Amino acid sequence: MQKRTLGTLTVSALGLGCMGMSEFYGPGDEAESVATIHAALDRGCTFLDTADMYGPFTNEELVGRAIAGRRDEVVLATKFGNERRPDGTGVGVNGRPDYVRQCCDASLERLGVEVIDLYYQHRVDPKTPVEDTWGAMKELVEAGKVRHLGISEAVPATIRRAHQVHPITALQTEWSLWSRDPEDELLPTVRELGIGFVPYSPLGRGFLTGQFRTPEDIPEGDFRRNNPRFQGENFSRNLKLVERVQQLASDKGCTSAQLALAWLLHQGDDIAPIPGTKRLARLEENLGAVDVSLSAEDLFRLDELAPVGATAGDRYPDMSTVNR
């Protein structure tokens, strides 16, 4: 497995997003999820991503059980900021300093670890100055509870303000062949500041794999049924984009998922995508992306096939909690 550098943190070139093992993408199977994590570690995919709100809370516990006895192999990332009750009810975005400290202690306990390698502010709280949130996060580093700090879904001005309080190691934001907005302002900003980029949903929430041909292919209880990009005319338009990517992938002798991940990996050594899966077969497919070589002509063709702004629909039903 190749390595990438996020700020001063070295991680595997591909990480593993663990969210779907516990929620959002239909029912999970803990035994297969744990086996998937173990297989990832065995293959050198050691950058694991979770958050307290996944489950809620249960995904951190699952990851903690999976890495028990293998902690030294893992670069462990988790997040706080999207506050939920145990029954799953959303409370809102919370960046108050006391909440930051409370969340970190709870995550350490659920994960069964003494220190978190990368701790993200999951969403920016508009009611709390980011300087106050990051002051509390800096204290966690000073206390030895956290090694590196990150931020998710933040605009350039917010990134700069947080970075002045404590160096940001990584920005985590959606980026893929069908979510290319970060290329305009975010990517230049983080590169100027020496911050790494961790693209989440690098496979377009599974759409870029080609597994969905109609909206009815989405399982019941899967949150994608309410995602604007998976609905109505948006679905039809986006499917045409996927079909174009699939054709190039076929020409390259790889899957569309591998091509989409390879495209991100070719964007720079400061980028480490975290495709999520809860299945061994998908993990093996995703990891094959590191062996896909793209020429300048391939990259040019992908720019033509999936240009900035080509995707139809918003990334979320409610965009009010992102881009802050």
Side-chain angles (χ1 to χ4, degrees), residues 289-305:
V290 300
D291 298 320
V292 176
S293 178
L294 300 180
S295 66
E297 181 181 353
D298 293 330
L299 294 171
F300 179 78
R301 286 186 65 188
L302 282 166
D303 276 338
E304 287 188 317
L305 295 175

Side-chain angles (χ1 to χ4, degrees), residues 154 156 159-160 171 173 175 180-199 263-264 267-268 270-271:
I159 292 169
R160 292 182 185 279
L171 169 71
T173 291
W175 186 20
R180 298 189 58 179
D181 296 345
E183 296 168 42
D184 293 335
E185 296 182 356
L186 285 176
L187 193 57
T189 298
V190 297
R191 284 186 164 155
E192 173 195 335
L193 299 174
I195 300 168
F197 200 117
V198 177
W263 176 79
L264 277 170
Q267 302 305 308
D270 53 352
I271 295 163

Side-chain angles (χ1 to χ4, degrees), residues 143-306:
K145 296 180 178 182
V146 172
R147 292 193 173 106
H148 299 268
L149 300 179
I151 196 166
S152 180
E153 292 288 357
V155 297
T158 303
I159 292 169
R160 292 182 185 279
R161 288 169 57 193
H163 193 66
Q164 288 182 333
V165 178
H166 186 279
I168 299 176
T169 291
L171 169 71
Q172 183 176 140
T173 291
E174 185 172 355
W175 186 20
S176 70
L177 281 171
W178 85 337
S179 291
R180 298 189 58 179
D181 296 345
E183 296 168 42
D184 293 335
E185 296 182 356
L186 285 176
L187 193 57
T189 298
V190 297
R191 284 186 164 155
E192 173 195 335
L193 299 174
I195 300 168
F197 200 117
V198 177
Y200 75 82
S201 295
L203 298 176
R205 304 192 184 281
F207 208 121
L208 289 169
T209 67
Q211 64 179 301
F212 301 117
R213 309 307 297 178
T214 71
E216 288 68 37
D217 292 337
I218 304 169
E220 289 290 344
D222 189 310
F223 97 106
R224 287 171 291 194
R225 280 183 169 257
N226 297 315
N227 185 288
R229 293 186 171 182
F230 288 79
Q231 295 180 327
E233 181 61 27
N234 289 344
F235 187 102
S236 300
R237 286 177 55 188
N238 294 333
L239 185 60
K240 290 182 172 63
L241 183 154
V242 172
E243 289 170 345
R244 296 194 295 269
V245 173
Q246 284 181 306
Q247 182 57 58
L248 179 55
S250 178
D251 295 344
K252 294 289 296 179
C254 64
T255 68
S256 57
Q258 290 169 337
L259 181 62
L261 292 173
W263 176 79
L264 277 170
L265 291 171
H266 279 72
Q267 302 305 308
D269 292 337
D270 53 352
I271 295 163
I274 50 168
T277 186
K278 53 190 174 184
R279 296 185 175 88
L280 284 165
R282 286 291 184 188
L283 173 71
E284 291 295 332
E285 179 184 357
N286 292 344
L287 294 182
V290 300
D291 298 320
V292 176
S293 178
L294 300 180
S295 66
E297 181 181 353
D298 293 330
L299 294 171
F300 179 78
R301 286 186 65 188
L302 282 166
D303 276 338
E304 287 188 317
L305 295 175

Side-chain angles (χ1 to χ4, degrees), residues 48-62:
L48 304 184
D49 185 271
T50 181
D52 59 0
M53 66 93 67
Y54 301 157
F57 316 123
T58 56
N59 193 243
E60 286 185 326
E61 294 171 345
L62 185 156

